[in-house]
Amino acid sequence: MSGRAQLMWDEAVTGYDFGPDHPMDPVRLALTRRLVDAFGLDKDVDVVAAKPAGDSTLRLVHREDYVQAVKAASADPESADGAYGLGTMDDPAFAGMHEVSALIAGQSVGAAEAVWRGDALHAVNFAGGLHHAMPGAASGFCIYNDASLAIARLLELGAERVAYVDVDVHHGDGVQAAFWEDPRVLTISLHEHPRTLFPQTGWPEETGAASAKGSAVNVALPAGTGDAGWLRAFHSVVPELIADFRPQVLVTQHGADTHFEDPLAHLAVSLDAQRAVQVACHELAHEYADGKWVALGGGGYAVVEVVPRSWTHLVAIAAGREIPPEAMIPEGWRQEVFARTRQLGPQRMTDGRWPVAYASWEAGYDPADRLDQAIVAARRAVFPLRGLLA
């Protein structure tokens, strides 16, 4: 097995563009790629462009009629069929939509293949993590569900246990739905409570079908949760489940929209806490999955201030060359930010909160605290189903 990480990248993924007024601005991908280069990380990873996902691969998760609907909307955006979630405010149709969506999916599938076959120990596709797409519909800025496709490909290649950990601010509903009946896949999602945020799913009681009870885990966090609470929730639920499940591959989704500057959600997490969870996922992969780690991007709509820094840290961790949180950002990158966006880019790779402290679950909990209530609800819903003490 190669000790080097793979960074999945094709410049054409920046064509995933819903238009100038849409919050998912592809400049976030371009600026992340440039920041990776600015820190010289491209020399520490193998940069690989995988082929687009073909129809047979897409059908591992998506219905044939939906794939055909995406192709039709891609060729003629005016004909987009709203019954498939296409041509909506969240998912406007655009020319070439099928091709670029399949390309992004192909990068995640290629990452999974590389890790499974031992071509790389870790693989990152920060253009991926489009976790809301359903088997038969687009949803929440997501056309094809690359995370589900990567997991389905791992199962096709012979994996018997795949764990998926999603720390995007929104519930990883599409991935949960894809594997709702499959006990080979453990899906864990930490997200803002469905009472206050799209897609209004991800309640603790959602634990998997009768054939896979306890294979879906949902930690629904109260709006306003900050660093200490977010890390407390992660460490109170995720490591114990991963230790019990012992996945052969760990797939993680790192939406940056938990950040306090994100305009579309209501958590108050810093870049420093996001980095801490990235480090924790890396460690969990090594401790329980022989290091096999596929890391994806996801949401994130503070496209200059937050997303490039967060995902550059993710690439650095996968590459084995962590960037110190206090590191200064190269001036050349900040000049490119201004040239592209007319915004002033951040100066440091931190929000100034490193190291981030949190209270461990073993130290006890407060039954009157809303964050602790969310943790208790998740543990009580799932842990007994898996033979663990809640």
Side-chain angles (χ1 to χ4, degrees):
M1 177 180 289
S2 169
R4 285 172 66 86
Q6 282 192 5
L7 173 61
M8 314 305 296
W9 178 258
D10 185 317
E11 198 74 30
V13 299
T14 60
Y16 192 82
D17 189 351
F18 290 115
D21 298 322
H22 196 281
M24 197 175 216
D25 189 335
V27 75
R28 69 196 194 124
L29 303 179
L31 290 177
T32 301
R33 183 68 178 88
R34 300 291 92 77
L35 189 56
V36 165
D37 287 354
F39 277 102
L41 295 171
D42 54 320
K43 300 177 180 63
D44 296 292
V45 297
D46 295 323
V47 181
V48 176
K51 63 183 181 180
D55 284 10
S56 62
T57 297
L58 294 173
R59 286 198 299 269
L60 291 174
V61 168
H62 294 290
R63 296 198 321 249
E64 171 66 20
D65 60 312
Y66 173 62
V67 174
Q68 294 307 317
V70 174
K71 288 182 177 180
S74 183
D76 179 11
E78 295 298 319
S79 72
D81 189 342
Y84 291 102
L86 302 168
T88 63
M89 186 176 295
D90 275 2
D91 297 284
F94 60 91
M97 180 172 64
H98 163 75
E99 288 77 11
V100 70
S101 300
L103 180 63
I104 290 173
Q107 304 315 303
S108 292
V109 171
E113 291 174 343
V115 168
W116 181 254
R117 291 171 175 162
D119 297 335
L121 190 58
H122 312 321
V124 180
N125 176 26
F126 57 74
L130 304 178
H131 60 168
H132 293 307
M134 293 292 175
S139 177
F141 313 164
C142 305
I143 306 301
Y144 293 138
N145 196 315
D146 63 285
S148 294
L149 289 164
I151 294 168
R153 180 61 175 141
L154 288 167
L155 298 176
E156 188 178 51
L157 291 171
E160 297 173 344
R161 295 180 312 283
V162 180
Y164 172 76
V165 177
D166 187 319
V167 296
D168 193 288
V169 79
H170 302 92
H171 177 225
D173 57 338
V175 185
Q176 175 179 287
F179 303 104
W180 184 249
E181 300 177 348
D182 195 335
R184 296 175 297 173
V185 181
L186 174 67
T187 64
I188 307 173
S189 178
L190 281 78
H191 48 266
E192 185 180 327
H193 201 286
R195 282 198 192 95
T196 54
L197 195 66
F198 174 90
Q200 281 77 52
T201 58
W203 298 79
E205 296 78 16
E206 297 170 30
T207 58
S211 59
K213 277 293 182 186
S215 67
V217 185
N218 289 288
V219 188
L221 303 170
T225 297
D227 289 357
W230 195 62
L231 290 176
R232 176 171 166 80
F234 179 93
H235 287 284
S236 299
V237 174
V238 177
E240 195 169 346
L241 289 168
I242 298 296
D244 172 69
F245 190 65
R246 301 231 165 223
Q248 293 162 295
V249 183
L250 180 63
V251 180
T252 57
Q253 195 268 22
H254 297 272
D257 43 9
T258 51
H259 195 272
F260 55 77
E261 289 192 20
D262 196 90
L264 299 189
H266 319 99
L267 295 191
V269 173
S270 73
L271 195 84
D272 303 83
Q274 291 179 347
R275 181 182 182 275
V277 161
Q278 294 166 3
V279 169
C281 289
H282 179 225
E283 291 172 350
L284 288 170
H286 277 282
E287 191 164 359
Y288 300 112
D290 294 325
K292 292 185 171 67
W293 183 32
V294 176
L296 308 173
Y301 309 100
V303 298
V304 170
E305 281 291 326
V306 178
V307 174
R309 292 189 293 165
S310 187
W311 292 347
T312 297
H313 276 303
L314 180 65
V315 173
I317 290 161
R321 190 163 75 78
E322 294 183 19
I323 298 170
E326 67 276 7
M328 297 297 292
I329 290 176
E331 181 60 28
W333 183 81
R334 299 183 71 247
Q335 291 174 0
E336 182 164 359
V337 166
F338 189 78
R340 284 176 177 261
T341 70
R342 289 298 182 262
Q343 296 183 47
L344 297 175
Q347 295 185 330
R348 295 179 183 272
M349 289 295 285
T350 184
D351 286 327
R353 299 186 181 182
W354 191 266
V356 183
Y358 67 93
S360 72
W361 192 246
E362 291 72 23
Y365 69 93
D366 179 357
D369 181 80
R370 290 198 307 149
L371 185 278
D372 281 3
Q373 289 169 2
I375 296 170
V376 167
R379 289 178 63 99
R380 286 181 177 168
V382 172
F383 277 45
L385 297 174
R386 304 203 64 87
L388 301 171
L389 292 175

